[in-house]
Amino acid sequence: MRFDSLLDSVGGTPLVGLPRLSPSPEVRLWAKLEDRSPTGSVKDRAALAMIEQAEKDGLLYPGATLLEPTSGNTGISLAMVARQRGYQLVCVMPENTSAERTQLLQAWGATIVPSSAVGGSNEAVRVAKEIAAANPEWVMLYQYGNEANARAHYETTGPELLADLPTITHFVAGLGTTGTLMGAGRFLREARPEIRIIAAEPRYGELVYGLRNLSEGFVPELYDESVLTGRFSVGPLDAVRRMRQLMDEEGIFAGPSSGAILHAALGAARTALRDGESADIAFIVCDGGWKYLSTGAYDGTLDSAEEALDGQLWA
Amino acid sequence: MAVEVRIPTILRTYTAGEKVVSAEGDSLAVVIQDLESRHPGIADRLLDESGLRRFINVYLNDEDVRFLEGLQTPVADADSITILPAVAGG
C-alpha cells in the first residue's frame, strides 16, 4: 500500500481472527490491530482528526502551541501530527505513567508538564485547564470533549469494522475519553441496530482514585451512556492475564489496556455460547506492548506484574 | 444475603478506614440502606434525589449497575460490589 505521507496512512488497520481464543466456530473473536498505526496506537485517528478540525476552524497557525492533558497515547499521536504540521505541543501527563511514554513524547518534540500521580488523569485535566487559562493563545484540543475525537471513529473505525465484518454482533473497546466507543458505536448501531456495544474500563490502583472530594470526579463530555449496552470494570490482574494469553495463544503483542478489553470480549463470548447464539465479536487492540516493557507487565508471575502496575496508569 | 462491598479511599471516613465491608440485602438499594445503618452518612454520598450520583460508579461483580437494573439490580449471596469515583482515562 502506498501513501503520500505518513499522515495519509492513518486508519485502515487489519482485523484479524483469533482462532484459538474463539470459543466455538459460531462464536468468533476478531481483533482490530490499532497498534499498526503510525505511532502505534488507536489515538492517531483522534489526534489527526482533532488537529484537522482545529485547522478548518482557523484556530491554528504555523508555530502555534497545542496543549493537552494526556496519560500518554493521545499526547504521542498529537506530537507526531504536530511535528508534521509545524506546531508545538505541551502535554500535561500524570507522573505515574511508563518511562517509554515520556521518552516517546520527547522524541517527537513535545514538552511535558508532569502532574501529580494522585488523582491520575483527573489531575492532569485540572492542571491543563489552569495552564490553558494562563496561556489564552495556546490551543487545547481537549480530547475528552472534542467531537472530532468521536467523529474520527464514526467516520473511519466504525465503517472499517462493518466492511471487514458485516456479521458483527458485538463491539468491545476501552473506555477512556470514550471517543472510540461513542464514534464507532454510533456508526455500528445505525447499521446493525441489535449490536452490543461493550465498554471495558480499566480499574487502577487506589492512588488514581485519590480524589479530595467526590465533586472532583470526572465524566468525559463526549460520554453518552445510551450508546453502550454494557460496561465492565477490569483490574490489572485480569488485564495482564489476558494480555499474556493474547500473546501466548494468538501471537499478538499488545498492551495491558487491550488485555482488559479482551477480558470483556471473552465475557461476551461466554454469554453468547451459554445462550446458544452465534456471535462475531470485534474488539480493539489499542496499542502494542512496547511502551510497557519497563513496567514489568511481561516479566515474572501475574502477581508480580499486578503489583508492578499498582498505582500506574496502565491503560 | 451477605455481600462484600469495596469502599473507595474517599468514603473510608465512614467505614473507620475499612476497605471492604459486608452488607446485606437482595437488591443494591437495600444493600445501600443496610450500609447506611452500619455506616451513617454514607448513603448521602452515594445517592441524590435522582439515584446514583453522577460521579459515583457501582459495579456488581465488575459490571456497572447502570447497565443492569440500577438501584433495583438484584444482589445474591457472595456477590461482590465495588464502589468507585468516576475518573478520566486517555
Side-chain angles (χ1 to χ4, degrees), chain A residues 70-71 74 121-122 143-144 201 203 206 209 211-215 217-219 223 225 228 231-233, chain B residues 9-12 19 45 53-57 59 62-64 66-67 82 84-90:
Chain A
T70 172
S71 55
T74 302
S121 295
N122 287 30
Q143 55 175 334
Y144 300 100
E201 179 184 16
R203 185 169 66 249
E206 296 196 346
Y209 300 95
L211 312 181
R212 275 163 295 201
N213 62 68
L214 278 175
S215 62
F218 184 80
V219 177
Y223 183 57
E225 188 178 295
L228 303 182
R231 175 170 167 171
F232 294 86
S233 170
Chain B
T9 324
I10 195 163
L11 295 180
R12 286 184 204 152
K19 288 184 184 184
R45 304 299 302 280
R53 287 185 181 274
R54 176 169 163 76
F55 293 137
I56 288 284
N57 292 329
Y59 304 88
D62 293 340
E63 182 161 14
D64 186 332
R66 289 189 174 95
F67 296 93
T82 301
L84 285 176
V87 301

Side-chain angles (χ1 to χ4, degrees), chain A residues 228-297:
Chain A
L228 303 182
T229 55
R231 175 170 167 171
F232 294 86
S233 170
V234 186
L237 190 68
D238 286 322
V240 170
R241 181 161 63 94
R242 299 306 193 186
M243 178 190 82
R244 292 184 179 186
Q245 206 176 358
L246 197 55
M247 194 169 200
D248 291 344
E249 301 196 30
E250 303 286 356
I252 296 171
F253 178 46
S257 57
S258 306
I261 296 166
L262 173 61
H263 186 66
L266 283 167
R270 221 167 27 243
T271 303
L273 196 67
R274 184 197 66 201
D275 296 344
E277 294 172 4
S278 59
D280 274 310
I281 302 166
F283 70 97
I284 297 285
V285 168
C286 313
D287 62 4
W290 305 102
K291 287 191 296 286
Y292 311 92
L293 285 170
S294 74
T295 63

Side-chain angles (χ1 to χ4, degrees), chain B residues 24-89:
Chain B
E24 295 194 8
D26 53 10
S27 72
L28 179 60
V30 179
V31 167
I32 291 177
Q33 268 176 24
D34 187 52
L35 274 180
E36 173 67 19
S37 71
R38 297 166 193 238
H39 311 286
I42 199 167
D44 185 52
R45 304 299 302 280
L46 302 177
L47 306 174
D48 57 21
E49 57 285 352
S50 65
L52 279 177
R53 287 185 181 274
R54 176 169 163 76
F55 293 137
I56 288 284
N57 292 329
V58 178
Y59 304 88
L60 177 72
N61 303 328
D62 293 340
E63 182 161 14
D64 186 332
V65 298
R66 289 189 174 95
F67 296 93
L68 296 168
E69 294 169 50
L71 288 171
Q72 304 319 312
T73 301
V75 171
D77 226 15
D79 276 349
S80 163
I81 292 173
T82 301
I83 301 171
L84 285 176
V87 301

